[in-house]
Amino acid sequence: MLSLRVRGTRLLGRVTHNSLSQTQARNFYSRKHTSPTINKTWRSFAVTGLVSTPGLWWLTATQDDDVPRLEASPAGHLVAEPGPSKNEVTRIISQDSYSFPVKSVAGVNRYDGTQLASNSLCEDRFTHGVFPSPLNNGTQWMAWAVFDGHAGWQTAELLKDQLLPFVRHGLSQVKSASSDEESIPDEVLHHAITKAFVDLDDSIIKTALQTVQSSEPLQDKLKKLAPAYAGSCALLSMYDSVTNSLHVACTGDSRAVLGQQLPDGKWEAIPLSVDQTGSNEDEVARINQEHPGEENIAKDGRILGMMVSRAFGDSRWKWALDLQQDLKERFGGPSPLTPRYDVRTPPYLTAEPVVTTTKIDPSKPSFVILATDGMWDTLSNQQAVDLVGKWLDTQIHGHPTSSPKPEYKSVDFGDLGNGVDWEFEEGRTTIQDDNVAVHLVRNSLGGNHHELIAGRLALGSPFSRRIRDDMTVQVVFFHCPRLPAK
């Protein structure tokens, strides 16, 4: 932008072509060489010339404009919004909730879900729905999945769109030795699902390598590299209504738990996946066997600093060091793990899942809970199953099972672990939500202890990450005919 003096001189140059000499125009701006009376005369004359010049009418226009008007607060007064009220707590934890009654797939009555972000943007993703049986037998399958991203959301976003299509394609290629396609052995299905997971992760890593060698524009290369820079866990559940089979594939530390009602009315918690982390002794033994002679790969519950022992993406745990350094310098990649960690023989992480198949008993009401670790940080398997069981009882019988709310003393985060339980406490249980996934989130964060749950929700990113993680929860009901459709 031109300075005021230069800008004014150029405008006057157009006017003085007819009425002012260049010397007079210069003197107009010089208080040192012009008397106040003459200066006033020339200024009035010059403005008259400006206004009469075509196209410059806007210099003196007095009509209102759209410029924002700033309202000042009284000095010394800090204006701040209060923390979430009880109604606002409900709005926050339920704003991304959903619920679907199911009629097209036998055995499934309904499923609920919700997501509560801590990161900005939320790094979790999810998917759910019905699709044609990959065994081509004319029936419908259903799928539910949660993806817990880390170091970004890009890998989880890719998995949301691509993992189920990869798995469906792999299952469609399965050929049974038997003429009866419905009797394909579970181990054959497990192999197909596992291969689909690994193939997709290989595609993420190989696409990145192919991209850096291509002639694509820089901006396109960076977009394709992002899913390899970031990482994500994956938990996929698929239900085959013909065989009453629930197939669960887990990579990482998201968790699936089956709740099954016993004859006495109580609910049994049956784990369908096991967290794959640096605290899992079996995982540590596997990694040490794959990298003999390398000490301290697993330390303090982490794998070279990473909490999970299996994940998609996370190229720093899979690429050679020279490649990591090259991508950091040329394409803004993350810093290599060295020198902080001793990296010798990558890859140290794998996307290979652990796959299980569970028969859903049609004679027993049951449900499956799928959730990222943000919820399991505060709830055990049995606690989560009991919470859903109590909610279900309330929905069916129409009366709450929670005890009267006690009075709580004021708390802060220093009290957590010092008289106030950070994790779920049964005495704080409350049943007030129509959506069971929202019900789980509410009780995992504090239940009927309003100050505790509101405090956990009051802080936004990045400070909220110190007290809660992103949470994504799905609950699917099987053979619960009396459950009302929401």
Side-chain angles (χ1 to χ4, degrees):
M1 179 178 289
L2 297 172
S3 68
L4 178 61
R5 178 180 293 275
V6 175
R7 194 169 60 220
T9 302
R10 290 191 175 184
L11 288 173
L12 278 171
R14 296 179 60 185
V15 178
T16 56
H17 179 75
N18 294 324
S19 57
L20 296 175
S21 69
Q22 292 183 359
T23 301
Q24 290 170 325
R26 285 194 297 271
N27 289 341
F28 172 73
Y29 284 98
S30 174
R31 295 183 178 180
K32 183 184 296 184
H33 302 292
T34 306
S35 67
T37 303
I38 296 174
N39 189 41
K40 182 176 181 180
T41 302
W42 281 117
R43 186 180 300 274
S44 176
F45 188 66
V47 170
T48 303
L50 284 172
V51 174
S52 64
T53 303
L56 298 177
W57 59 270
W58 49 270
L59 288 175
T60 59
T62 59
Q63 62 186 22
D64 292 338
D65 53 41
D66 295 329
V67 176
R69 298 187 180 279
L70 303 178
E71 301 295 336
S73 299
H77 292 273
L78 177 64
V79 179
E81 294 183 1
S85 65
K86 292 182 179 180
N87 287 338
E88 288 169 336
V89 165
T90 298
R91 178 187 60 79
I92 292 170
I93 64 176
S94 62
Q95 62 186 354
D96 292 320
S97 65
Y98 52 90
S99 182
F100 291 91
V102 179
K103 299 179 181 179
S104 60
V105 178
V108 183
N109 301 105
R110 164 181 156 178
Y111 65 91
D112 292 2
T114 195
Q115 185 173 81
L116 176 65
S118 181
N119 291 291
S120 181
L121 298 167
C122 181
E123 294 179 345
D124 282 6
R125 295 292 186 271
F126 60 88
T127 190
H128 53 86
V130 63
F131 62 96
S133 168
L135 304 181
N136 300 316
N137 56 12
T139 62
Q140 299 286 313
W141 281 29
M142 293 200 72
W144 305 269
V146 296
F147 309 105
D148 184 359
H150 46 261
W153 49 266
Q154 293 85 349
T155 315
E157 179 72 17
L158 183 147
L159 295 179
K160 174 180 73 70
D161 296 331
Q162 297 294 327
L163 182 59
L164 185 58
F166 262 71
V167 171
R168 290 176 60 187
H169 175 74
L171 290 174
S172 69
Q173 304 301 309
V174 171
K175 301 297 181 182
S176 174
S178 169
S179 59
D180 183 3
E181 292 186 347
E182 296 179 3
S183 62
I184 297 175
D186 288 341
E187 56 268 24
V188 175
L189 294 176
H190 292 182
H191 176 75
I193 295 170
T194 298
K195 184 176 184 302
F197 272 54
V198 173
D199 285 350
L200 178 53
D201 191 53
D202 285 347
S203 178
I204 293 172
I205 300 301
K206 291 177 181 177
T207 295
L209 297 177
Q210 294 168 357
T211 297
V212 300
Q213 299 170 0
S214 72
S215 58
E216 296 180 68
L218 175 62
Q219 63 270 24
D220 294 347
K221 289 182 179 180
L222 295 180
K223 282 290 188 180
K224 290 185 178 181
L225 285 168
Y229 290 167
S232 181
C233 303
L235 178 64
L236 172 65
S237 176
M238 297 178 295
Y239 179 66
D240 176 2
S241 62
V242 174
T243 61
N244 290 315
S245 297
L246 185 66
H247 307 290
V248 174
C250 178
T251 292
D253 62 355
S254 296
R255 193 185 308 168
V257 178
L258 179 70
Q260 192 171 75
Q261 194 167 37
L262 300 173
D264 61 2
K266 295 181 179 180
W267 292 89
E268 178 186 13
I270 303 171
L272 303 183
S273 67
V274 177
D275 298 356
Q276 300 155 1
T277 69
S279 299
N280 183 321
E281 294 182 359
D282 291 337
E283 287 291 284
V284 172
R286 174 183 63 80
I287 292 174
N288 287 336
Q289 185 177 11
E290 293 174 355
H291 303 273
E294 296 186 50
E295 299 178 357
N296 297 324
I297 295 178
K299 187 177 181 180
D300 300 326
R302 293 177 177 268
I303 307 300
L304 298 178
M306 174 64 72
M307 179 71 75
V308 295
S309 56
R310 306 190 190 208
F312 285 84
D314 288 322
S315 57
R316 288 185 293 171
W317 286 262
K318 298 174 182 178
W319 284 341
L321 287 173
D322 56 349
L323 176 60
Q324 294 184 44
Q325 188 62 45
D326 180 56
L327 266 64
K328 178 180 183 295
E329 295 174 356
R330 297 174 58 203
F331 302 105
S335 298
L337 296 178
T338 56
R340 184 175 182 182
Y341 300 105
D342 184 12
V343 177
R344 304 182 197 176
T345 57
Y348 293 95
L349 299 185
T350 178
E352 181 178 337
V354 173
V355 186
T356 62
T357 294
T358 303
K359 296 292 185 181
I360 302 298
D361 189 340
S363 67
K364 298 179 181 178
S366 57
F367 52 81
V368 64
I369 305 170
L370 295 91
T372 55
D373 68 331
M375 189 194 78
W376 300 115
D377 285 342
T378 61
L379 285 175
S380 70
N381 291 356
Q382 189 63 56
Q383 288 170 339
V385 166
D386 287 342
L387 280 170
V388 174
K390 291 177 180 178
W391 177 93
L392 188 59
D393 185 62
T394 298
Q395 293 292 310
I396 294 175
H397 299 292
H399 58 80
T401 60
S402 54
S403 57
K405 183 183 69 174
E407 294 296 327
Y408 295 107
K409 296 181 180 179
S410 182
V411 297
D412 58 41
F413 293 131
D415 296 323
L416 297 177
N418 185 26
V420 178
D421 202 332
W422 175 272
E423 299 180 351
F424 171 77
E425 192 174 84
E426 188 173 359
R428 299 197 297 246
T429 299
T430 182
I431 304 175
Q432 57 182 283
D433 302 291
D434 292 335
N435 184 301
V436 69
V438 174
H439 166 74
L440 283 172
V441 169
R442 183 190 296 276
N443 283 280
S444 72
L445 292 175
N448 62 23
H449 194 319
H450 172 68
E451 187 174 2
L452 181 57
I453 186 172
R456 280 171 154 163
L457 296 175
L459 288 177
S461 177
F463 307 107
S464 58
R465 281 293 285 113
R466 295 188 293 185
I467 53 177
R468 60 182 177 87
D469 197 359
D470 296 331
M471 293 186 187
T472 302
V473 183
Q474 296 176 330
V475 182
V476 186
F477 292 98
F478 301 97
H479 306 291
C480 297
R482 290 187 293 170
L483 175 66
K486 187 174 181 295

